[in-house]
Amino acid sequence: MEGNANLYAVLAAGFPQDRTKIAIETPERNYTWNDIEAWSGRLATMLSDLRLPAGARVAVQVQKSPMALMLYLATVRAGLVYLPLNTAYKESEVEYFLTDAEPSVIVCDSQNLGWVSALANKTNTPHVFTLDADGSGSLVDAAANSHAAFQTVQSAPDDLAAILYTSGTTGRSKGAMLSHRNLSSNAEVLNEYWGWSADDVLLHMLPIFHVHGLFVASHGALLAGAKMVWLPKLDIDQALKYLPESTVMMGVPTYYVRLLGDPRFTRDVCRNMRLFISGSAPLLSETFNEFKERTGHTILERYGMSETIMLTSNPYDPAQGERLAGTVGMPLPGVSVRVVDDADQPVPAGTIGSVQVRGPNVFSGYWRMPEKTREEFTADGWFRTGDLGLFGGEGVPDTYLSIVGRSKDLIISGGYNVYPKEIELVIDALPGVNESAVIGVPDPDFGEAVVAVVVPRDGQTLDAAQMQAALKGSLANFKVPKRIHFISELPRNTMGKVQKNILREQYKNG
Ligand code: MCA
Ligand code: AMP
């Protein structure tokens, strides 16, 4: 029989022989590799018993817990499509995803069951389950008596494994369709490239509804058969407690800024660490340098996207080169990266252009958006990332890529992407607002902070705090502007386009 391309089968091939070893350690309890197999098996049996059509989506908006990871693995094992949702999303945001993705199952926190059930009714989502942070809920009740032994479904490499929604410049989120091959090829490359081994201990503090925490971090440890210390979120006290027994940590730059902000974070705390990885947003050189000085460790910065998983990485092996601040390193093995001009023609090293990519890790398209998908790929199959970058540059070898900006109007705050258009549409609909512009300004903690510049309607006086409270009704809190400024007119160029660069300059200091 041919090998099974199912992502779970690929990951499970890396589980240790001794399944009684601890796979996941939390402050409350430990889970062995046997537990992972049995719980993902029970949940997969239960999902299969629902007799869902092939490719059915399982939407999940739950707090991070080991059982939530089991649910992810179970969905993949059962040949269904996992659709994770940020826990910060509000009802109106979730409604869009349910309407667009038409999942067969939604799993939510029990405290949200009321509004989620109502939404499920409205959007014809047939199955609703709950899963709470402590691992309890109707999902686990339903699976408790199901068979733990589950034959992982045979999947083809191009079968869908997950849909990750990423916001768009138009304000409408797009579902990036990721296949078993996209995910497993990237996991296998990173396993080798970052030197994973069964002796590693991963300090896992990232959320598990995005690529970084769900795929890059979890797959790394699972495929290596390495233990994870599993914390529900970034908590500096807990991080300081578990770092001495850990060897690998991943985080967005805010994680490193916050660790450095604590004087208890010392070289001694990192005594067993071999690798700190940063990504999802630009790591400032000052953070990179201060980290090196404090701990003796050089943070490895890498670059990726929801549509592509990981693309480039600074070297792990010193024989391949130094880790350079301000760069995202070299294309990963098997991944092609080029920097092009407006005519999609490659530009020489040292020249800034648009970053385009190709490889087995690159997604096949946006869910039910063939037009958008066509626009984002060149005729010869390169995906347009929307990032601006260059190979080489001053003092940097030509093999290293640096990301210097974005052609897409995007703010990255603490590793979460915020598309200004989405926020502007909601602000403009508030009473008394004529128009608005949303910008990102430098922030010491989040890297960038979301700020709104609002033009009130003639003669109206608006209250920033009241507006923020109103916005929190329909937008995830991380998208709500940290500050709102009022202005009589937005600066525009001769084409009538709002000059956000002028606003960024004007409001950069609060
Ligand atoms: C929370 N808040 C935020 C953010 N997070 N505001 C802006 N940006 C954020 N990222 C809000 C909270 O709702 C709260 O507002 C207020 O800010 C203060 O919250 P705080 O307690 O400081 O937040 P926290 O709970 O400590 O969370 C901050 C965090 C978290 C730890 C940095 O945002 C985080 O874990 N970020 C990681 C995101 C991530 O995994 N990104 C990967 C995407 P209020 O009081 O009003 O509620 S994958 C990706 O990008 C690609 C593919 C890649 O390359 O990896
Ligand atoms: P997402 O929409 O969550 O998939 O975010 C992907 C975007 O995050 C990329 O297109 C980049 O703009 C940004 N990104 C990820 N890693 C890095 C990095 N190391 N440096 C700069 N930007 C990054």
Side-chain angles (χ1 to χ4, degrees), residues 88 164 205-213 216 233-234 252 254-255 258 279-281 302-310 412-418 445-446 448-450 472 476-480 482:
L164 264 78
M205 300 185 285
L206 284 159
I208 54 165
F209 38 68
H210 286 308
V211 160
H212 201 160
V216 189
K233 57 178 282 199
L234 173 65
V252 303
T254 304
Y255 285 43
R258 289 194 184 175
S280 310
R302 72 4 169 231
Y303 159 62
M305 291 183 77
S306 300
E307 290 90 337
T308 66
I309 331 172
M310 293 300 97
I412 305 185
S413 170
Y416 288 141
N417 292 4
V418 180
D445 186 35
F446 291 130
E448 281 184 289
V450 177
K472 280 186 183 175
N477 284 9
F478 68 86
K479 297 180 188 170
V480 173
K482 301 283 184 219

Side-chain angles (χ1 to χ4, degrees), residues 164-167 210-212 253 278-283 300-312 314 326-328 383 385-388 402-406 408 410 412 415-419:
L164 264 78
Y165 273 86
T166 80
S167 327
H210 286 308
V211 160
H212 201 160
S278 176
S280 310
L283 179 72
L300 179 153
E301 185 170 7
R302 72 4 169 231
Y303 159 62
M305 291 183 77
S306 300
E307 290 90 337
T308 66
I309 331 172
M310 293 300 97
L311 292 163
T312 72
N314 268 279
T327 83
V328 293
F383 172 60
T385 63
D387 291 311
L388 301 176
S402 300
I403 302 297
V404 297
R406 305 166 196 132
K408 51 195 175 192
L410 162 69
I412 305 185
Y416 288 141
N417 292 4
V418 180
Y419 277 89

Side-chain angles (χ1 to χ4, degrees), residues 219-237:
H219 291 176
L222 290 169
L223 184 59
K227 186 176 96 171
M228 290 190 256
V229 171
W230 190 261
L231 300 179
K233 57 178 282 199
L234 173 65
D235 173 329
I236 296 298
D237 287 335

Side-chain angles (χ1 to χ4, degrees), residues 67 219 375 510:
M67 203 52 84
H219 291 176
E375 279 171 28

Side-chain angles (χ1 to χ4, degrees), residues 91-144:
E91 184 172 342
S92 58
E93 291 164 309
V94 173
E95 179 170 358
Y96 170 79
F97 300 117
L98 296 192
T99 309
D100 192 60
E102 296 187 308
S104 299
V105 178
I106 168 110
V107 184
C108 67
D109 270 1
S110 58
Q111 61 170 9
N112 298 335
L113 184 61
W115 63 261
V116 172
S117 296
L119 270 189
N121 240 333
K122 191 170 162 187
T123 57
N124 296 319
T125 308
H127 303 282
V128 182
F129 295 99
T130 62
L131 174 61
D132 286 339
D134 62 2
S136 66
S138 64
L139 180 86
V140 173
D141 292 345

